[in-house]
Amino acid sequence: QAILALPEFKSISREQVEKAFRVSEAGYRHILDTASEGICAMNAEGQLTYTRRRAAEMLGYDAPDTLLGRSTLDFMFEEDRQDPSVLEVWKGGVQNQFDVRLRCLDGTELWVLASTSPILDQAGDFDGALVMFTDVTSRRKAEKALRESEARYRRIVETANEGIWMTDAGWRTEYVNRVMAAMMGYRIEEMVGRSLLDFVFDDDREHVSTGIGPQRQGAREPVELRFRRKGGAEI
């Protein structure tokens, strides 16, 4: 118990203090219950000690209480559990943010952006973590589709019969495929990073710059150009 002496008030009853705490707690509980993010807490062993309704719903469960006492590993896929550092990520002892894949009740995957805040005991040692996570499954699927699309196009480019040469706006070589490098007599790594003008004869530099210039404005017309192969031969 405590007696509070404030200039503005003569006294505050215990009932008033308790009521204020109840109102405050109810307000915070309402915020947690209506948050769009999943919120939970775990102890130092990785067992859930607290969870809100949204967190349970994201994982496909009806009642938050059914998750209490369960290990965070229960909500991970078998192949993800094999990483010995999986719990260490949560136990960092500092605020952290990372993507993690969780296993829903029906076996489907849920990618979340997890934001963790450590809970420390009186000695300052790790005693658990408060975790807030946001569903990023759609973003992860889009990233996966983009990677797969890029891989398909890369296979097409790598197996093309034509030489393909990509430069930046300053003519620096960003990419050549295997065929282009072979046509020039170089290895791919010998061309990447060098200016396209390094591969032309001195007399042709202005002609090449002029010939390819319209491409800067989006032109796609073919242009005949002479380049210098490794060793000095022309192509």
Side-chain angles (χ1 to χ4, degrees), residues 1-223:
Q1 298 183 11
I3 298 175
L4 305 179
L6 302 175
E8 295 84 353
F9 305 100
K10 294 182 178 179
S11 65
I12 298 176
S13 68
R14 177 173 178 174
E15 289 75 14
Q16 288 175 307
V17 173
E18 291 177 345
K19 180 181 179 181
F21 275 121
R22 287 196 298 271
V23 171
S24 176
E25 181 182 2
Y28 284 123
R29 186 176 296 275
H30 177 70
I31 292 173
L32 295 178
D33 281 335
T34 57
S36 59
E37 293 82 10
I39 302 172
C40 61
M42 67 177 192
N43 60 22
E45 287 70 43
Q47 296 172 320
L48 293 176
T49 58
Y50 170 87
T51 182
R52 302 310 304 161
R53 182 173 302 280
R54 177 57 180 155
E57 291 174 347
M58 291 171 70
L59 290 167
Y61 293 83
D62 295 328
D65 291 347
T66 60
L67 307 182
L68 298 181
R70 297 183 59 180
S71 169
T72 51
L73 294 179
D74 292 345
F75 306 100
M76 304 187 75
F77 289 88
E78 185 63 35
E79 56 268 30
D80 296 340
R81 298 178 194 171
Q82 304 307 314
D83 184 355
S85 65
V86 65
L87 270 182
E88 297 306 316
V89 176
W90 305 82
K91 295 181 179 181
V94 295
Q95 289 186 332
N96 201 1
Q97 191 175 76
F98 52 92
D99 281 5
V100 62
R101 184 175 67 145
L102 301 178
R103 185 178 185 276
C104 296
L105 179 61
D106 61 3
T108 58
E109 67 177 19
L110 170 71
W111 277 98
V112 299
L113 174 63
S115 300
T116 63
S117 296
I119 300 172
L120 306 180
D121 60 19
Q122 292 183 345
D125 297 324
F126 179 82
D127 195 37
L130 178 67
V131 185
M132 178 178 292
F133 49 88
T134 306
D135 188 346
V136 294
T137 305
S138 296
R139 171 173 65 80
R140 296 290 301 207
K141 287 182 177 179
E143 291 173 349
K144 180 181 179 182
L146 181 60
R147 289 194 300 269
E148 292 174 348
S149 176
E150 182 181 76
R152 285 195 298 270
Y153 282 114
R154 181 176 293 275
R155 284 196 296 271
I156 293 172
V157 169
E158 292 290 354
T159 57
N161 292 324
E162 293 78 14
I164 299 175
W165 195 332
M166 183 184 299
T167 75
D168 63 13
W171 305 124
R172 186 177 63 89
T173 301
E174 292 187 333
Y175 171 82
V176 291
N177 68 349
R178 176 183 51 80
V179 174
M180 188 73 252
M183 289 169 63
M184 296 294 295
Y186 289 89
R187 299 192 307 274
I188 292 175
E189 57 269 24
E190 292 179 305
M191 296 184 66
V192 173
R194 296 178 59 184
S195 170
L196 178 143
L197 297 180
D198 290 345
F199 302 95
V200 302
F201 294 92
D202 291 342
D203 296 342
D204 292 345
R205 283 178 175 252
E206 183 176 352
H207 173 66
V208 169
S209 297
T210 303
I212 303 180
Q215 270 68 20
R216 290 180 183 269
Q217 283 73 47
R220 303 181 64 178
E221 291 81 7
V223 180

Side-chain angles (χ1 to χ4, degrees), residues 180 182-184 199 201 225-229 232-235:
M180 188 73 252
M183 289 169 63
M184 296 294 295
F199 302 95
F201 294 92
L225 301 170
R226 181 177 69 144
F227 287 97
R228 184 179 60 186
R229 301 183 77 250
E234 67 177 23
I235 178 174

